[in-house]
Amino acid sequence: MSTSERRVGGGLLDPGQLVRSLPAALAKLNPRTLWRNPVMLIVEIGAVFTTVLAILDPTFFGWAIVVWLWLTVVFANLAEAVAEGRGKAQAATLRAAKRDTVARKLVGDAIETVGAPELRPGDRVVVEAGEIIPGDGDVVEGIASVDESAITGESAPVIRESGGDRSAVTGGTKVLSDRIVVEITQRPGESFIDRMISLVEGANRQKTPNEIALNILLAALTVIFLAATATMQPMAIYAKAANPGIPDSLALTGDGVTGLVLVSLLVCLIPTTIGALLSAIGIAGMDRLVQRNVLAMSGRAVEAAGDVNTLLLDKTGTITLGDRQAAEFVPVAEVGEEELALAAQLSSLADETPEGRSIVVFAKRAYGLREREPGELATAEWVPFTAQTRMSGVNMDGRQVRKGAATAVMKWVRDHGGHPTDQVGHLVDGISASGGTPLVVGEVDGDKARVLGVIHLKDVVKPGMAERFAEMRRMGIRTVMITGDNPLTAKAIADEAGVDDFLAEATPEDKLALIKKEQEGGRLVAMTGDGTNDAPALAQSDVGVAMNTGTSAAKEAGNMVDLDSNPTKLIEIVEIGKQLLITRGALTTFSIANDVAKYFAIIPAMFAAVYPGLDTLNIMRLSSPQSAILSAVILNALIIIALIPLALRGVRYRPAGAAKLLSRNLYLYGLGGVVAPFIGIKLIDLIIQFFPGM
Amino acid sequence: MGTATAGALFVASLILALALVHRPLGDHMYRVYTTTRHLAAERLIYRLLGVNADAEQRWSAYARGVLAFSVVSILFLYGLQRLQDKLFLSLGMDPVPDHVAWNTAVSFVTNTNWQAYSGESTMGHLTQMAGLAVQNFVSAAVGMAVAMALVRGFARNRTDNLGNFWVDLVRGTVRILLPIAFVGALVLVAGGLVQNFAAPQEIATLTGGAQSVTGGPVASQEVIKELGTNGGGFYNVNSAHPFENATSWTNWFEIFLILVLPFSLPRTFGRMVGQKRQGNAVLAVMAVLALASVTLTNVFELTGNATVPQAVGAAMEGKEVRFGVANSATFGAATTLTSTGAVDSFHDSYTPLGGMMVMFNMMLGEVAPGGVGAGLYGMLVLAVITVFVAGLMVGRTPEYLGKRIGAREIKLASLYFLVTPILVLTGTALAMGNADGLAGMLNTGPHGFSEVLYAFTSASNNNGSAFGGLTVNTPWYDTALGLCMALGRFLPIIFVLALAGSLARQAPVPESAGTLPTHRPQFVGMVVGVTLILIALTFLPALALGPLAEGLS
């Protein structure tokens, strides 16, 4: 199975996975590992206690309770084991990539061969085509194409070069062409792959703040129900004594409620459902990120993503397509649109910049001008675009056509004796004011130099962005566009994309200041970044997603890495964070709501013998006290298994305002949680009533 | 006019009166607790106490103030009772026995006013006035002070300062309780209550027997007994005594006094956090629970689902003829929904399910509307728990009024919530498993059990009403119930103040469309639901063996 297929299929649970995880689940019965989950530890203690009782006084009812109590613990362990199992599979693929490699270390000008584990930060190594990069680092010399499929699952090679923001390389990836010198930045055993392995395995998983808080609440509920069941005993003894002549039952004797029933009641009341699934939910949340090729360095970061109030998004590449594109040809008076289009196309044929290509494409699309290869026009002399001239063009049959930056072309026209009219200035200013980039097209035909018109280049907002931002707004998240453009240009794009705010002419310092200002007001900020100059902002933000293509500094500073290097993914990360919290809340609510039905099953079963009026509470009309109690215990265990897929997948999440989300989840998990177990217990009772001793 | 219609009109007129008064009164209290100006009389008190009234306290200092004041009050009250025969105005009463004196001292300082004694035959005028009546004022003012500290925790940001306990205590007494009590006492005197220092009068009864009728400063005690949700009566039979509660309309007025401060405090809360609608939401939760409880109690009492009521046509046993079934049931609900515990009828004689309702009211933690101050802080803690349980379902770290509910906050809220149920259940269980506990029971079976459960519920929740049928002035019950009262009052207060400190330190989280709105009916319904489910789950086994067993037979 290829990596990408596995990722797509990762959302579902196949029964085979349950069976495969069974040994791990049984191993987790060890109290030394279970103590971290107090709710389940109590169930286990109860299971041990009832086992002793069942051995001393064997009955079918007793053993049935014992078996289902043990199953409750095993099911809970199974949930965690399945969640961990998926990570383990991923870790195995990663380990395969982490073969022990040999490094060619530069010592002075000589090359020395050492084992990869012996490399220290600052060491320089040479890697050539076909070799595996021995450790994480930055390219300091050369350029190479690198196969990073081992970590990203993406088979297309990427370019890594010295200097700039694409210098980081990861140990375990393979150089396909050329030769590079890499300066190692990792310490042994702390490579990116090492961290990835421990992350997906959940080896050093720490409880997140909300998880800790939720655990406290669950502990409090457990204490309450412990108190409720323990203090019931003297009350029950009194009730039994006050009604002499009523024979002992399986549930109630002169010594009070029997141990079996007391433990059953306790296990049914304490929040076992959420207690069993809580850690699986957390692991699965991280796993969902991994499936989307995002590595979170901590669960805390995932949780913070759900709380984010402000998203900082870079304009280029995130909100707009990477480059500006031709959108309009505006001729000056006396020049036809067709004529301008033709000149613009001709002058851009030799321009290989994305802007130049877009002019040719636009001329073809809007004016039907066939794209001509430079070689097609034999007499033409091509003038390519350079940063010095800031123009490109063609000299052909005594005619010169140029296209380029407004000042450069106008100066060129003037130098050839032409006089650009005021209209050109107005056109240029107008386009600039609207946020576009004006390129002027000019020609010198014989001794007549003139400006033909202006090409309007503009940023093209990626399709669907406005809708995404509207969703964000409904979720209560403010989006801020960061751009180096002037405020006018920035505003135009911000309006078109539908972001809430923008930061124009942004320097890294401005960005950092903006984050600090937002945080000052209690907001949580998320951003993406790739360059070294993004590092301080990434470190300061609450959720900092570094692009895998970025520099080591950026990856070090952020708390997530996007292996796909897709800045738009920030939005998905936020959604996954929210989904994680919602899943926890929904299952907690469900768990508590479930208790209502269990009381209606167990209380009449315990006490209807002494106080027949309490049989009124047996609204499910369960067939016998034993069957009622056993049904409640079985339901309690089965619910855990039934909800494992939900815990792993997360509850359905659609971006919406808080009130709307809450209504839906309240009905589903609150009201549903009250009603569902009534039906479940009744159904189980209908089946088990036929067993002996029921 | 039928009984039911009359009962409904009685309740409706109360609601109308409370609706009219809660705003101006709430606004007044807002000004009292936020102004920086001191009255001359207050300055004098601060000087006597040696308090710097302009210095603010952090939560621990505030809590120390509450505890120190309460401990001194308990010791003073204990001494006063033990030495009353050596002081003046004792009416010739003997010193109060040590276990009763301890129980009573704790009872009045904790705003419980559980009475293990018979007022007219145990306490002299001095003890009543300088001891018990004073505590009726200040124990109520302590409750309000703690509530204000918690509200400041929500309202303030990045600070350790929660106000000054001594200032809150003095202002609550001087500017809120005393003026209302003064006017209220005049109204009650006009309504027929006695107010004198007369010695007991010997009168011949119709049957030819002789009876000693004690007069005293009844009206002035009565008004603060209700207003401060205290409930300790001048007479043993409390508000059923004609000198404490003369007519049907003084009965109405006393219920009004019981409810007026607790129902006005949400307004004060809303003003202090700068969002009146948040106060309205809290008020709505209280109102929904209270109305449901009053209605059910009335229904159970009026339909008389028990043997005797069905035989005689109405559940009149234990109720005063001048009040009738409905108005007694409403008083019973009001006194247990708050921490008052005054009674104008005998709760032991209610129908089993009616008796369960008054018990359940207290089990709710007395939050609808609860004792003065205590009801508000109890309700805010429940709101915090609700926000946490349900708030995760909107996909954010739960927050209430711009404050994140993290591990520390939920820990303190959980501890607060744990205290009273554990005291009630443990206390009842100990009594049922212990010869001293069983010895006090006059009834057997589920009814006898209900009486014990009621006593511990009442003490632990600082209500103070008694079901009756239980001999509680024994050393065992005096000690156990005294401990329940003390722990049930001061542990929650410590947790609330710590919570307030933790909230005040936080920076506020700005509100957005993603924030759980806590002012809408949705949230009101959620708090009601979470409260009912948590309480029902906690107490259902105990209730099943008591009132439910009796009522469903």
Side-chain angles (χ1 to χ4, degrees), chain A residues 209-210 212-214 216-217 220-221 223-225 227-228 231-232 234-236 238-239 242 265 269 303 306-309 473-477 519-524 577-578 581-582 584-586 588-589 592-593 595-596 599-600 603 607 610-611 613-614 616-617 656-663 665-666 669 674, chain B residues 158 385 388-399 404-408 410-411 414-415 417-418 421-422 424-426 428-430 432-433 438 441 443-446 448-449 453 507-510 512-517 520 522 526 533-534 536-546 548-550 552-553:
Chain A
N210 275 316
I212 294 169
L214 191 50
I216 292 172
L217 183 76
L221 287 172
V223 170
I224 278 267
F225 292 129
T231 57
M232 195 178 68
M235 307 178 194
Y238 173 78
L265 176 64
L269 291 181
E303 213 170 73
D307 283 345
V308 159
N309 304 81
R473 204 165 300 122
R474 280 199 295 279
M475 288 156 67
I477 295 171
Q519 288 172 336
E520 196 80 345
R523 295 184 183 84
L524 262 58
K578 286 198 176 290
L581 295 179
I582 294 176
R584 282 197 200 126
T588 306
T589 309
I592 298 172
D595 283 0
V596 177
Y599 260 139
F600 277 91
I603 285 187
F607 299 131
V610 280
Y611 297 128
L614 290 179
T616 322
L617 295 181
K660 218 168 137 192
L661 269 178
L662 186 61
S663 294
N665 291 325
L666 267 182
Y669 299 99
V674 173
Chain B
R158 298 189 187 95
I385 293 178
F388 187 79
V389 173
L392 280 173
M393 283 197 288
V394 304
R396 287 180 63 82
T397 296
E399 52 206 62
R404 284 205 177 86
I405 309 303
R408 186 175 158 78
I410 201 68
K411 182 167 75 190
S414 297
L415 283 170
F417 183 80
L418 283 174
I422 287 183
V424 172
L425 292 171
T426 315
T428 310
L430 284 176
M432 300 315 290
L438 292 171
M441 291 168 65
N443 288 293
T444 57
F449 173 73
L453 179 62
V509 183
S512 75
T515 312
L516 169 75
R520 300 214 186 134
Q522 181 192 47
M526 225 159 59
I533 287 189
L534 283 182
L537 291 178
T538 309
F539 290 107
L540 205 55
L543 289 173
L545 291 170
L548 273 178
E550 196 186 354
L552 295 176
S553 59

Side-chain angles (χ1 to χ4, degrees), chain B residues 125-136:
Chain B
H125 285 334
L126 184 71
T127 314
Q128 291 269 25
M129 288 195 308
L132 306 185
V134 168
Q135 280 307 320
N136 278 353

Side-chain angles (χ1 to χ4, degrees), chain A residues 253 549 589:
Chain A
T253 69
T549 52
T589 309

Side-chain angles (χ1 to χ4, degrees), chain B residues 11 55-56 90 106 116 123 164 228 249 251 398 405 427 458 487 522 549:
Chain B
V11 174
E56 295 247 336
S90 72
V106 171
M123 305 292 176
N164 183 313
W249 82 260
N251 193 44
I405 309 303
S458 173
L487 295 174
Q522 181 192 47

Side-chain angles (χ1 to χ4, degrees), chain B residues 151-404:
Chain B
V151 174
R152 288 184 192 119
F154 282 110
R156 295 179 177 183
N157 301 312
R158 298 189 187 95
T159 176
D160 279 330
N161 295 337
L162 291 177
N164 183 313
F165 167 67
W166 305 104
V167 172
D168 291 340
L169 175 74
V170 169
R171 284 188 185 172
T173 311
V174 171
R175 300 196 202 181
I176 298 169
L177 296 170
L178 275 172
I180 303 177
F182 182 76
V183 176
L186 294 182
V187 173
L188 285 175
V189 169
L193 271 64
V194 299
Q195 178 77 9
N196 58 41
F197 286 101
Q201 285 178 294
E202 292 292 329
I203 53 165
T205 66
L206 284 176
T207 51
Q211 192 180 352
S212 164
V213 176
T214 321
V218 179
S220 59
Q221 276 245 55
E222 189 66 19
V223 65
I224 189 62
K225 174 188 108 182
E226 320 292 8
L227 182 68
T229 63
N230 292 289
F234 193 88
Y235 298 102
N236 188 35
V237 294
N238 212 297
S239 288
H241 195 291
F243 285 1
E244 281 202 29
N245 193 358
T247 61
S248 183
W249 82 260
T250 55
N251 193 44
W252 183 97
F253 187 64
E254 288 186 10
I255 299 176
F256 173 78
L257 284 176
I258 288 174
L259 297 175
V260 70
L261 284 179
F263 269 129
S264 300
L265 278 166
R267 170 79 178 183
T268 313
F269 158 72
R271 291 286 308 268
M272 283 175 79
V273 297
Q275 294 185 58
K276 288 176 204 155
R277 58 189 191 177
Q278 300 287 358
N280 292 340
V282 168
L283 180 65
V285 177
M286 292 175 167
V288 168
L289 287 170
L291 200 60
S293 167
V294 169
T295 309
L296 281 176
T297 314
N298 268 289
V299 167
F300 289 140
E301 289 309 293
L302 289 171
T303 52
N305 168 30
T307 323
V308 177
Q310 271 159 5
V312 302
M316 273 310 292
E317 184 200 319
K319 297 193 177 76
E320 287 291 305
V321 181
R322 64 184 189 283
F323 305 138
V325 176
N327 296 2
S328 301
T330 303
F331 194 106
T335 194
T336 48
L337 281 166
T338 60
S339 77
T340 312
V343 289
D344 75 349
S345 53
F346 208 43
H347 290 182
D348 199 14
S349 303
Y350 277 26
T351 60
L353 295 180
M356 181 176 76
M357 282 315 299
V358 291
M359 221 183 295
F360 193 75
N361 287 341
M362 294 186 283
M363 288 170 174
L364 283 176
E366 288 166 1
V367 289
V372 279
L376 180 63
Y377 64 68
M379 180 54 79
L380 291 177
V381 169
L382 283 170
V384 164
I385 293 178
T386 305
V387 161
F388 187 79
V389 173
L392 280 173
M393 283 197 288
V394 304
R396 287 180 63 82
T397 296
E399 52 206 62
Y400 184 50
L401 301 170
K403 297 300 173 85
R404 284 205 177 86

